[in-house]
Amino acid sequence: MGFSRRSATPTREAVDHFKHGVTSFKDAGFAAARGTRDAAAPKVNVVLTKVGLRKPPAPKWPWVAGAIGAGLAVGGAVAYLWYRRRTESIGEQLLADELLDDTELDDRALHEELVDSASR
């Protein structure tokens, strides 16, 4: 048995193992960076918001308050229109009653004048 010298040129198998090792290291680095980003992102966002480099997330409740306000405005407008229509009809009815009452008063006044003039 003797020692043999290997050639200086890498074999195809050695190159494939080297490429596989580089790919594995690259994938491990990407996985570590992704995990670090996922773990640190909320804390970084809080710091950026406090410093003023990022706007805070908009709260959802103004949309709810706006919808309630719009509903109240529409409801108020409908109630006002109903009230106006109701008071107009009541006003017309009262006016009609008043006109009828005035004619009765005029008839009574005329009757009293006739009675007074007849008694003189």
Side-chain angles (χ1 to χ4, degrees), residues 29-103:
F30 285 143
R34 199 170 25 252
T36 303
R37 183 194 65 203
D38 292 344
K43 295 176 183 175
V44 170
N45 287 336
V46 168
V47 170
L48 290 176
T49 303
K50 286 184 179 179
V51 172
L53 297 176
R54 181 172 289 170
K55 289 184 178 179
K60 304 271 187 241
W61 65 266
W63 287 99
V64 174
I68 291 172
L72 288 174
V74 168
V78 168
Y80 174 73
L81 291 173
W82 174 77
Y83 171 77
R84 232 177 68 184
R85 183 172 285 168
R86 183 174 167 259
T87 54
E88 284 176 4
S89 66
I90 290 173
E92 290 171 357
Q93 187 178 16
L94 289 174
L95 182 62
D97 288 345
E98 187 177 316
L99 288 175
L100 290 175
D101 288 345
D102 286 346
T103 57

